[in-house]
Amino acid sequence: MSEGKELKDMLFNIKKSGWEHQSDEALTDIFKFAEEYMYYLNSSKTEKEIVSNSKEILLKNGFVDIEQKETLEAGDKVFYVNHGRSLYAAVIGEEPLTNGMRIIAAHGDSPRIDLKQNPFYEDGELAMLKTHYYGGIKKYQWTNIPLSMHGTVVKPNGERIDISIGESEEDPVFTISDLLPHLAAEQMERKLKDGVQGEDLNILMGSIPYNDDTVTERVKLNVLDLLNHKYGITEVDFISSEIEFVPAFKARSLGLDYSMIGAYGQDDKVCCYTALRGLLNVEMPKKTAICILTDKEEVGFNGVTGMCTLRFEDFIHEILDKKGENTPSALQRTFTKSKAISADVDAGYDPNYPSAFERNNTSFIGKGITIVKYTGSRGKSGASEAPAEIVAELRGIYESAGVKYQACELGKVDKGGGGTIALTLANRGMEVIDSGVPVIGMHSPYEITSKYDVYAAYKGYEAFYRG
Ligand code: MN
Ligand code: MN
Protein backbone atom coordinates (compact mmCIF):
# COMPACT_ATOMS: atom_id res chain seq x y z
CA MET A 1 0.00 0.00 0.00
CA SER A 2 1.35 3.41 -0.94
CA GLU A 3 1.88 6.04 1.73
CA GLY A 4 -0.79 8.28 0.24
CA LYS A 5 -3.30 5.43 0.14
CA GLU A 6 -2.57 4.58 3.77
CA LEU A 7 -2.99 8.23 4.77
CA LYS A 8 -6.23 8.54 2.83
CA ASP A 9 -7.67 5.41 4.44
CA MET A 10 -6.85 6.88 7.84
CA LEU A 11 -8.09 10.42 7.26
CA PHE A 12 -11.07 10.10 4.92
CA ASN A 13 -14.56 8.98 5.87
CA ILE A 14 -15.05 6.61 2.95
CA LYS A 15 -18.49 5.02 2.73
CA LYS A 16 -18.16 1.65 1.04
CA SER A 17 -20.98 -0.69 0.08
CA GLY A 18 -21.99 -2.94 2.95
CA TRP A 19 -22.13 -5.88 0.55
CA GLU A 20 -18.36 -5.91 0.04
CA HIS A 21 -16.31 -8.63 1.75
CA GLN A 22 -19.29 -10.31 3.42
CA SER A 23 -18.79 -13.94 4.43
CA ASP A 24 -21.19 -16.61 3.19
CA GLU A 25 -22.56 -16.97 6.73
CA ALA A 26 -23.20 -13.21 7.00
CA LEU A 27 -24.97 -13.20 3.63
CA THR A 28 -27.13 -16.14 4.72
CA ASP A 29 -28.15 -14.22 7.86
CA ILE A 30 -28.95 -11.06 5.88
CA PHE A 31 -31.10 -12.87 3.31
CA LYS A 32 -32.87 -15.01 5.92
CA PHE A 33 -33.75 -11.95 7.99
CA ALA A 34 -35.09 -10.23 4.86
CA GLU A 35 -37.40 -13.20 4.18
CA GLU A 36 -38.80 -12.95 7.71
CA TYR A 37 -39.26 -9.20 7.31
CA MET A 38 -41.11 -9.63 4.00
CA TYR A 39 -43.42 -12.19 5.60
CA TYR A 40 -44.22 -9.67 8.36
CA LEU A 41 -44.85 -6.92 5.77
CA ASN A 42 -47.28 -9.09 3.81
CA SER A 43 -49.47 -9.67 6.85
CA SER A 44 -49.07 -6.17 8.36
CA LYS A 45 -50.31 -3.57 5.90
CA THR A 46 -52.02 -1.25 8.40
CA GLU A 47 -51.19 0.18 11.80
CA LYS A 48 -53.69 -2.18 13.46
CA GLU A 49 -52.21 -5.21 11.72
CA ILE A 50 -48.69 -4.08 12.72
CA VAL A 51 -49.81 -3.94 16.34
CA SER A 52 -51.67 -7.26 16.34
CA ASN A 53 -48.88 -9.15 14.54
CA SER A 54 -46.20 -7.55 16.72
CA LYS A 55 -48.18 -8.52 19.79
CA GLU A 56 -48.27 -12.13 18.56
CA ILE A 57 -44.48 -12.06 18.08
CA LEU A 58 -44.02 -10.66 21.61
CA LEU A 59 -46.34 -13.31 23.14
CA LYS A 60 -44.38 -16.09 21.39
CA ASN A 61 -41.17 -14.67 22.87
CA GLY A 62 -42.13 -14.56 26.52
CA PHE A 63 -43.64 -11.07 26.78
CA VAL A 64 -46.89 -10.63 28.75
CA ASP A 65 -49.46 -7.84 28.94
CA ILE A 66 -48.32 -5.52 31.72
CA GLU A 67 -51.79 -5.73 33.27
CA GLN A 68 -51.11 -9.37 34.12
CA LYS A 69 -48.12 -8.48 36.30
CA GLU A 70 -48.55 -7.36 39.92
CA THR A 71 -44.88 -6.49 40.31
CA LEU A 72 -41.96 -6.11 37.94
CA GLU A 73 -38.31 -6.99 38.34
CA ALA A 74 -35.17 -7.09 36.21
CA GLY A 75 -35.51 -9.37 33.22
CA ASP A 76 -39.32 -9.18 33.04
CA LYS A 77 -40.78 -8.62 29.57
CA VAL A 78 -44.05 -6.74 29.23
CA PHE A 79 -46.09 -4.83 26.69
CA TYR A 80 -49.05 -2.46 26.52
CA VAL A 81 -51.38 -2.11 23.55
CA ASN A 82 -52.95 1.33 23.15
CA HIS A 83 -56.34 1.18 21.40
CA GLY A 84 -55.04 -1.57 19.10
CA ARG A 85 -53.08 1.01 17.10
CA SER A 86 -49.87 1.61 19.00
CA LEU A 87 -47.79 -0.62 21.24
CA TYR A 88 -45.09 -0.21 23.88
CA ALA A 89 -42.86 -3.17 24.85
CA ALA A 90 -40.28 -3.27 27.65
CA VAL A 91 -37.53 -5.51 28.92
CA ILE A 92 -36.95 -4.43 32.51
CA GLY A 93 -33.31 -3.59 33.24
CA GLU A 94 -31.08 -4.26 36.24
CA GLU A 95 -30.71 -0.60 37.16
CA PRO A 96 -33.52 1.55 38.61
CA LEU A 97 -35.77 3.05 35.96
CA THR A 98 -34.81 6.53 37.19
CA ASN A 99 -31.29 5.86 35.83
CA GLY A 100 -32.92 6.20 32.43
CA MET A 101 -34.26 3.96 29.68
CA ARG A 102 -33.09 2.99 26.21
CA ILE A 103 -35.97 3.71 23.86
CA ILE A 104 -36.42 2.95 20.17
CA ALA A 105 -39.55 4.39 18.59
CA ALA A 106 -40.85 3.56 15.11
CA HIS A 107 -44.23 4.17 13.50
CA GLY A 108 -46.62 1.59 12.07
CA ASP A 109 -48.83 3.93 10.03
CA SER A 110 -48.00 4.55 6.36
CA PRO A 111 -49.50 6.77 3.66
CA ARG A 112 -52.68 5.22 2.26
CA ILE A 113 -56.20 5.88 0.97
CA ASP A 114 -58.87 6.08 3.72
CA LEU A 115 -62.61 5.89 3.13
CA LYS A 116 -64.71 8.91 4.00
CA GLN A 117 -67.49 8.26 6.52
CA ASN A 118 -70.23 8.48 3.82
CA PRO A 119 -68.37 6.74 1.00
CA PHE A 120 -70.99 5.00 -1.15
CA TYR A 121 -72.36 6.34 -4.42
CA GLU A 122 -73.25 5.13 -7.87
CA ASP A 123 -72.32 6.72 -11.18
CA GLY A 124 -72.60 5.22 -14.68
CA GLU A 125 -74.04 2.07 -13.08
CA LEU A 126 -70.78 1.55 -11.22
CA ALA A 127 -70.57 1.42 -7.43
CA MET A 128 -67.97 3.87 -6.15
CA LEU A 129 -66.40 4.93 -2.84
CA LYS A 130 -65.29 8.42 -1.78
CA THR A 131 -61.90 8.60 -0.08
CA HIS A 132 -59.65 10.98 1.83
CA TYR A 133 -55.97 10.16 1.48
CA TYR A 134 -53.78 9.81 4.60
CA GLY A 135 -50.27 11.24 4.72
CA GLY A 136 -48.15 12.89 2.06
CA ILE A 137 -48.66 11.13 -1.26
CA LYS A 138 -48.11 11.87 -4.95
CA LYS A 139 -51.72 11.10 -5.86
CA TYR A 140 -51.10 9.98 -9.43
CA GLN A 141 -49.00 7.07 -8.09
CA TRP A 142 -52.10 5.54 -6.47
CA THR A 143 -54.24 5.15 -9.60
CA ASN A 144 -54.68 1.98 -11.67
CA ILE A 145 -52.85 -0.22 -9.19
CA PRO A 146 -54.42 -3.13 -7.29
CA LEU A 147 -55.64 -2.05 -3.85
CA SER A 148 -56.78 -4.16 -0.93
CA MET A 149 -59.36 -3.14 1.65
CA HIS A 150 -58.47 -3.33 5.35
CA GLY A 151 -60.13 -2.00 8.44
CA THR A 152 -62.68 -2.12 11.16
CA VAL A 153 -66.35 -1.30 11.49
CA VAL A 154 -67.65 -0.73 15.01
CA LYS A 155 -71.36 -0.83 15.81
CA PRO A 156 -73.01 1.25 18.55
CA ASN A 157 -73.36 -1.92 20.68
CA GLY A 158 -69.56 -2.27 20.64
CA GLU A 159 -69.44 -5.11 18.15
CA ARG A 160 -66.25 -4.90 16.03
CA ILE A 161 -66.04 -6.29 12.54
CA ASP A 162 -62.58 -6.60 11.00
CA ILE A 163 -62.36 -6.49 7.22
CA SER A 164 -59.50 -7.64 4.98
CA ILE A 165 -60.21 -8.17 1.28
CA GLY A 166 -57.63 -8.39 -1.47
CA GLU A 167 -54.61 -10.05 0.12
CA SER A 168 -55.30 -13.72 -0.63
CA GLU A 169 -55.14 -14.99 -4.22
CA GLU A 170 -58.88 -15.85 -4.33
CA ASP A 171 -59.95 -12.37 -3.20
CA PRO A 172 -60.90 -9.60 -5.61
CA VAL A 173 -58.90 -6.35 -5.54
CA PHE A 174 -59.99 -2.74 -6.05
CA THR A 175 -58.60 0.20 -7.95
CA ILE A 176 -58.82 3.94 -8.59
CA SER A 177 -59.12 4.62 -12.32
CA ASP A 178 -57.13 7.36 -14.03
CA LEU A 179 -58.11 9.02 -17.29
CA LEU A 180 -56.91 7.40 -20.52
CA PRO A 181 -54.18 9.40 -22.32
CA HIS A 182 -56.40 9.76 -25.40
CA LEU A 183 -58.77 12.05 -23.46
CA ALA A 184 -56.27 13.58 -21.06
CA ALA A 185 -55.08 16.57 -23.07
CA GLU A 186 -56.42 19.01 -20.46
CA GLN A 187 -55.24 16.90 -17.51
CA MET A 188 -51.73 16.55 -18.96
CA GLU A 189 -51.39 20.33 -19.14
CA ARG A 190 -51.89 20.65 -15.37
CA LYS A 191 -49.04 20.72 -12.88
CA LEU A 192 -48.07 17.22 -11.73
CA LYS A 193 -49.45 17.84 -8.23
CA ASP A 194 -52.86 18.72 -9.72
CA GLY A 195 -52.98 15.99 -12.36
CA VAL A 196 -54.97 13.76 -10.05
CA GLN A 197 -56.82 15.58 -7.29
CA GLY A 198 -58.08 14.44 -3.91
CA GLU A 199 -61.70 14.15 -5.03
CA ASP A 200 -60.61 12.08 -8.06
CA LEU A 201 -59.39 9.26 -5.81
CA ASN A 202 -62.65 7.28 -5.91
CA ILE A 203 -62.56 3.53 -5.65
CA LEU A 204 -64.32 1.21 -8.10
CA MET A 205 -66.29 -1.26 -6.02
CA GLY A 206 -68.70 -3.18 -8.26
CA SER A 207 -70.74 -3.25 -11.47
CA ILE A 208 -73.59 -5.78 -11.14
CA PRO A 209 -77.05 -4.26 -10.48
CA TYR A 210 -79.31 -5.72 -7.81
CA ASN A 211 -81.91 -7.92 -9.46
CA ASP A 212 -85.00 -5.67 -9.04
CA ASP A 213 -85.53 -2.98 -11.67
CA THR A 214 -88.17 -1.16 -9.61
CA VAL A 215 -85.44 0.46 -7.44
CA THR A 216 -82.74 3.03 -8.26
CA GLU A 217 -78.98 2.80 -7.45
CA ARG A 218 -79.09 -0.94 -7.96
CA VAL A 219 -75.31 -1.43 -8.24
CA LYS A 220 -74.70 0.38 -4.96
CA LEU A 221 -77.54 -1.71 -3.48
CA ASN A 222 -75.92 -4.92 -4.69
CA VAL A 223 -72.55 -3.97 -3.15
CA LEU A 224 -74.19 -3.09 0.17
CA ASP A 225 -76.14 -6.37 0.04
CA LEU A 226 -72.90 -8.32 -0.47
CA LEU A 227 -71.27 -6.49 2.46
CA ASN A 228 -74.37 -7.09 4.58
CA HIS A 229 -74.31 -10.82 3.86
CA LYS A 230 -70.59 -11.13 4.55
CA TYR A 231 -70.23 -8.80 7.54
CA GLY A 232 -73.76 -7.93 8.76
CA ILE A 233 -73.16 -4.20 8.16
CA THR A 234 -75.19 -1.45 6.48
CA GLU A 235 -74.32 1.95 4.97
CA VAL A 236 -74.78 3.82 8.26
CA ASP A 237 -72.19 1.57 9.96
CA PHE A 238 -69.45 3.17 7.83
CA ILE A 239 -69.88 6.31 9.94
CA SER A 240 -68.09 4.45 12.72
CA SER A 241 -65.51 2.68 10.61
CA GLU A 242 -61.86 2.99 9.68
CA ILE A 243 -61.38 1.48 6.25
CA GLU A 244 -58.00 1.81 4.58
CA PHE A 245 -57.14 0.96 0.99
CA VAL A 246 -53.50 -0.03 0.54
CA PRO A 247 -51.50 -1.51 -2.35
CA ALA A 248 -52.34 -5.19 -2.77
CA PHE A 249 -48.79 -5.98 -3.97
CA LYS A 250 -46.72 -8.47 -2.03
CA ALA A 251 -43.26 -7.62 -0.73
CA ARG A 252 -40.76 -9.05 -3.22
CA SER A 253 -37.04 -9.35 -3.66
CA LEU A 254 -35.94 -6.65 -6.09
CA GLY A 255 -33.02 -6.69 -8.50
CA LEU A 256 -31.32 -9.52 -10.38
CA ASP A 257 -29.05 -10.01 -7.38
CA TYR A 258 -32.01 -10.17 -4.95
CA SER A 259 -30.30 -7.43 -2.92
CA MET A 260 -33.30 -5.14 -2.38
CA ILE A 261 -36.91 -5.30 -1.21
CA GLY A 262 -39.85 -3.71 -3.01
CA ALA A 263 -42.90 -3.34 -0.77
CA TYR A 264 -45.65 -1.03 0.39
CA GLY A 265 -45.29 0.72 3.74
CA GLN A 266 -41.61 0.21 4.48
CA ASP A 267 -41.81 3.76 5.92
CA ASP A 268 -41.84 2.89 8.71
CA LYS A 269 -42.64 -0.78 9.04
CA VAL A 270 -38.97 -1.52 8.34
CA CYS A 271 -38.03 0.19 11.60
CA CYS A 272 -40.98 -1.37 13.45
CA TYR A 273 -39.80 -4.85 12.55
CA THR A 274 -36.09 -4.30 13.12
CA ALA A 275 -36.67 -2.48 16.43
CA LEU A 276 -39.00 -5.26 17.59
CA ARG A 277 -36.69 -8.10 16.52
CA GLY A 278 -33.75 -6.34 18.16
CA LEU A 279 -35.65 -6.20 21.45
CA LEU A 280 -36.32 -9.97 21.34
CA ASN A 281 -32.57 -10.57 21.63
CA VAL A 282 -32.20 -8.48 24.78
CA GLU A 283 -32.15 -10.38 28.09
CA MET A 284 -31.50 -8.59 31.37
CA PRO A 285 -30.20 -5.25 30.02
CA LYS A 286 -28.56 -2.75 32.36
CA LYS A 287 -31.15 -0.08 31.58
CA THR A 288 -34.79 -0.84 30.80
CA ALA A 289 -35.19 -1.28 27.04
CA ILE A 290 -38.35 0.07 25.43
CA CYS A 291 -39.65 -0.48 21.92
CA ILE A 292 -42.43 1.86 20.77
CA LEU A 293 -44.56 1.20 17.71
CA THR A 294 -46.54 4.40 17.39
CA ASP A 295 -49.31 5.59 15.11
CA LYS A 296 -50.30 8.87 13.38
CA GLU A 297 -46.70 9.82 12.52
CA GLU A 298 -47.66 10.57 8.94
CA VAL A 299 -50.26 13.14 10.02
CA GLY A 300 -48.39 14.96 12.77
CA PHE A 301 -47.95 12.66 15.82
CA ASN A 302 -51.20 13.71 17.55
CA GLY A 303 -54.24 11.77 18.68
CA VAL A 304 -54.67 9.17 21.40
CA THR A 305 -52.40 6.72 19.56
CA GLY A 306 -49.83 9.24 18.26
CA MET A 307 -46.46 9.81 19.97
CA CYS A 308 -47.70 12.98 21.68
CA THR A 309 -50.17 10.96 23.74
CA LEU A 310 -49.80 10.78 27.53
CA ARG A 311 -50.61 7.07 27.27
CA PHE A 312 -46.86 6.56 27.00
CA GLU A 313 -46.34 8.35 30.32
CA ASP A 314 -49.05 6.10 31.74
CA PHE A 315 -47.10 3.00 30.66
CA ILE A 316 -43.89 4.25 32.29
CA HIS A 317 -45.81 5.16 35.47
CA GLU A 318 -47.13 1.62 35.56
CA ILE A 319 -43.59 0.21 35.32
CA LEU A 320 -42.42 2.57 38.09
CA ASP A 321 -45.42 1.54 40.24
CA LYS A 322 -44.88 -2.16 39.70
CA LYS A 323 -41.14 -1.87 40.38
CA GLY A 324 -41.94 -0.03 43.62
CA GLU A 325 -39.91 2.98 42.43
CA ASN A 326 -42.62 5.56 41.87
CA THR A 327 -42.42 8.99 43.50
CA PRO A 328 -43.87 12.32 42.29
CA SER A 329 -40.64 13.16 40.45
CA ALA A 330 -39.70 9.66 39.27
CA LEU A 331 -41.25 9.90 35.81
CA GLN A 332 -39.55 13.15 34.90
CA ARG A 333 -36.20 11.95 36.28
CA THR A 334 -36.57 8.77 34.23
CA PHE A 335 -37.22 10.73 31.05
CA THR A 336 -34.37 13.15 31.70
CA LYS A 337 -31.88 10.28 32.00
CA SER A 338 -33.26 8.39 29.01
CA LYS A 339 -31.82 8.11 25.54
CA ALA A 340 -33.88 7.43 22.48
CA ILE A 341 -33.64 6.58 18.82
CA SER A 342 -36.37 7.93 16.60
CA ALA A 343 -36.28 4.98 14.22
CA ASP A 344 -37.47 6.21 10.87
CA VAL A 345 -36.51 6.00 7.23
CA ASP A 346 -34.51 8.50 5.24
CA ALA A 347 -34.44 9.33 1.52
CA GLY A 348 -31.91 7.09 -0.21
CA TYR A 349 -30.05 8.47 -3.24
CA ASP A 350 -32.10 7.93 -6.41
CA PRO A 351 -30.06 7.80 -9.66
CA ASN A 352 -33.19 8.89 -11.58
CA TYR A 353 -33.26 12.18 -9.68
CA PRO A 354 -29.65 13.03 -8.78
CA SER A 355 -30.38 16.77 -8.62
CA ALA A 356 -32.54 16.32 -5.50
CA PHE A 357 -29.60 15.02 -3.48
CA GLU A 358 -26.33 16.38 -2.16
CA ARG A 359 -23.98 13.45 -2.37
CA ASN A 360 -21.82 14.19 0.66
CA ASN A 361 -24.80 14.12 2.99
CA THR A 362 -27.22 11.72 1.38
CA SER A 363 -27.80 8.14 2.41
CA PHE A 364 -27.19 5.42 -0.15
CA ILE A 365 -29.05 2.12 -0.01
CA GLY A 366 -26.68 -0.70 0.86
CA LYS A 367 -24.33 1.45 2.94
CA GLY A 368 -25.83 0.79 6.34
CA ILE A 369 -28.05 2.29 9.01
CA THR A 370 -28.48 6.07 8.91
CA ILE A 371 -27.49 8.57 11.58
CA VAL A 372 -29.52 11.77 11.15
CA LYS A 373 -28.47 14.58 13.49
CA TYR A 374 -31.31 16.83 12.39
CA THR A 375 -34.40 16.69 10.20
CA GLY A 376 -36.68 19.64 9.37
CA SER A 377 -36.75 21.81 6.29
CA ARG A 378 -35.38 25.14 5.07
CA GLY A 379 -33.02 26.06 7.87
CA LYS A 380 -33.71 22.96 10.02
CA SER A 381 -37.18 24.32 10.79
CA GLY A 382 -39.14 21.86 12.90
CA ALA A 383 -36.05 19.82 13.75
CA SER A 384 -35.20 18.32 17.09
CA GLU A 385 -31.48 18.42 16.53
CA ALA A 386 -29.56 15.74 18.41
CA PRO A 387 -26.70 17.04 20.58
CA ALA A 388 -23.26 15.98 19.29
CA GLU A 389 -22.80 13.99 22.52
CA ILE A 390 -25.53 11.47 21.65
CA VAL A 391 -24.36 11.32 18.04
CA ALA A 392 -20.94 10.35 19.38
CA GLU A 393 -22.43 7.80 21.75
CA LEU A 394 -24.46 6.20 18.97
CA ARG A 395 -21.41 6.05 16.69
CA GLY A 396 -19.57 4.30 19.49
CA ILE A 397 -22.36 1.77 19.97
CA TYR A 398 -22.57 0.99 16.25
CA GLU A 399 -18.78 0.79 15.87
CA SER A 400 -18.44 -1.60 18.84
CA ALA A 401 -21.19 -3.80 17.39
CA GLY A 402 -19.62 -3.75 13.91
CA VAL A 403 -22.69 -2.05 12.41
CA LYS A 404 -22.01 0.02 9.30
CA TYR A 405 -23.55 3.49 9.50
CA GLN A 406 -23.84 6.61 7.34
CA ALA A 407 -24.57 10.18 8.44
CA CYS A 408 -27.09 11.91 6.24
CA GLU A 409 -29.88 14.40 5.83
CA LEU A 410 -32.96 14.39 3.66
CA GLY A 411 -32.02 15.74 0.24
CA LYS A 412 -30.58 19.10 -0.70
CA VAL A 413 -30.97 22.17 1.51
CA ASP A 414 -33.98 24.20 0.33
CA LYS A 415 -35.36 21.29 -1.75
CA GLY A 416 -37.89 20.32 0.90
CA GLY A 417 -37.47 18.22 4.02
CA GLY A 418 -39.39 16.30 6.60
CA GLY A 419 -39.81 15.63 10.29
CA THR A 420 -40.05 12.66 12.59
CA ILE A 421 -41.35 11.90 16.09
CA ALA A 422 -37.89 12.76 17.50
CA LEU A 423 -39.15 16.10 18.79
CA THR A 424 -42.03 14.52 20.72
CA LEU A 425 -39.50 12.44 22.67
CA ALA A 426 -37.00 15.29 23.04
CA ASN A 427 -39.75 17.51 24.42
CA ARG A 428 -40.17 14.99 27.24
CA GLY A 429 -36.58 15.70 28.27
CA MET A 430 -34.63 12.82 26.78
CA GLU A 431 -31.76 12.89 24.30
CA VAL A 432 -33.01 11.69 20.92
CA ILE A 433 -31.38 10.89 17.63
CA ASP A 434 -32.86 9.75 14.32
CA SER A 435 -31.45 6.53 12.96
CA GLY A 436 -33.04 4.23 10.43
CA VAL A 437 -33.03 2.77 6.95
CA PRO A 438 -32.60 4.56 3.59
CA VAL A 439 -35.57 4.15 1.25
CA ILE A 440 -35.91 4.94 -2.46
CA GLY A 441 -39.37 6.05 -3.56
CA MET A 442 -40.56 6.90 -0.04
CA HIS A 443 -44.36 7.35 0.32
CA SER A 444 -44.96 5.65 -3.02
CA PRO A 445 -47.05 2.47 -3.19
CA TYR A 446 -43.86 0.46 -3.72
CA GLU A 447 -40.90 1.58 -1.60
CA ILE A 448 -37.38 0.18 -2.01
CA THR A 449 -34.88 -0.78 0.68
CA SER A 450 -31.63 -2.74 0.75
CA LYS A 451 -31.58 -6.07 2.57
CA TYR A 452 -28.16 -5.10 3.87
CA ASP A 453 -29.51 -1.96 5.56
CA VAL A 454 -32.50 -3.81 7.03
CA TYR A 455 -30.10 -6.22 8.72
CA ALA A 456 -27.80 -3.38 9.82
CA ALA A 457 -30.78 -1.65 11.48
CA TYR A 458 -31.71 -4.85 13.32
CA LYS A 459 -28.17 -5.29 14.66
CA GLY A 460 -27.76 -1.57 15.39
CA TYR A 461 -31.00 -1.34 17.35
CA GLU A 462 -30.15 -4.46 19.34
CA ALA A 463 -26.80 -2.90 20.29
CA PHE A 464 -28.50 0.36 21.33
CA TYR A 465 -30.91 -1.42 23.69
CA ARG A 466 -27.95 -3.13 25.32
CA GLY A 467 -26.28 0.29 25.73
MN1 MN B 1 -41.54 7.70 8.62
MN1 MN C 1 -43.35 8.99 6.15
Side-chain angles (χ1 to χ4, degrees), residues 107 267-268 297-298 344-345:
H107 66 92
D267 173 12
D268 185 33
E297 192 276 343
E298 296 294 356
D344 209 340
V345 300

Side-chain angles (χ1 to χ4, degrees), residues 204-277:
L204 182 54
M205 201 58 184
S207 64
I208 300 179
Y210 188 79
N211 193 15
D212 176 354
D213 59 14
T214 64
V215 294
T216 59
E217 296 181 277
R218 291 160 61 200
V219 183
K220 169 178 164 179
L221 179 61
N222 195 49
V223 162
L224 281 167
D225 189 47
L226 289 169
L227 286 168
N228 186 255
H229 275 98
K230 190 159 184 193
Y231 298 108
I233 52 181
T234 69
E235 187 174 14
V236 72
D237 290 323
F238 281 80
I239 289 174
S240 47
S241 73
E242 289 168 0
I243 307 293
E244 307 172 14
F245 283 81
V246 296
F249 323 127
K250 298 278 179 248
R252 300 282 293 266
S253 288
L254 196 136
L256 199 60
D257 53 10
Y258 291 76
S259 61
M260 296 165 282
I261 297 165
Y264 162 70
Q266 298 202 68
D267 173 12
D268 185 33
K269 293 165 175 67
V270 66
C271 296
C272 290
Y273 188 67
T274 48
L276 188 76
R277 283 288 306 269

Side-chain angles (χ1 to χ4, degrees), residues 13 15-18 344-351 353-354 356-374 404-412 434-442 448-450 452-453:
N13 174 23
K15 291 171 267 185
K16 286 198 188 123
S17 167
D344 209 340
V345 300
D346 204 281
Y349 177 77
D350 184 341
Y353 300 95
F357 302 93
E358 184 270 290
R359 283 164 175 271
N360 258 19
N361 292 282
T362 285
S363 60
F364 290 81
I365 68 165
K367 293 193 173 182
I369 193 168
T370 64
I371 293 183
V372 186
K373 189 172 186 298
Y374 51 84
K404 199 180 238 320
Y405 62 85
Q406 46 181 336
C408 59
E409 60 178 89
L410 199 145
K412 273 186 180 164
D434 279 281
S435 184
V437 174
V439 171
I440 294 177
M442 195 198 298
I448 299 155
T449 57
S450 163
Y452 178 81
D453 301 331

Side-chain angles (χ1 to χ4, degrees), residues 12 287 383 414:
F12 276 34
K287 297 201 162 53
D414 289 342

Side-chain angles (χ1 to χ4, degrees), residues 385-459:
E385 182 154 357
E389 287 82 353
I390 188 159
V391 183
E393 188 175 338
L394 192 65
R395 274 182 60 200
I397 288 170
Y398 289 166
E399 282 170 16
S400 306
V403 172
K404 199 180 238 320
Y405 62 85
Q406 46 181 336
C408 59
E409 60 178 89
L410 199 145
K412 273 186 180 164
V413 176
D414 289 342
K415 272 277 178 197
T420 68
I421 57 167
L423 60 101
T424 68
L425 298 165
N427 291 346
R428 288 170 161 108
M430 58 188 90
E431 284 177 79
V432 186
I433 179 152
D434 279 281
S435 184
V437 174
V439 171
I440 294 177
M442 195 198 298
H443 285 203
S444 79
Y446 210 56
E447 301 174 321
I448 299 155
T449 57
S450 163
K451 292 179 182 177
Y452 178 81
D453 301 331
V454 173
Y455 195 75
Y458 161 53
K459 286 292 154 191

Side-chain angles (χ1 to χ4, degrees), residues 103-121:
I103 298 170
I104 301 181
H107 66 92
D109 62 317
S110 303
R112 59 180 193 246
I113 309 291
D114 286 348
L115 279 197
K116 292 189 185 188
Q117 303 320 111
N118 297 303
F120 292 91
Y121 71 103

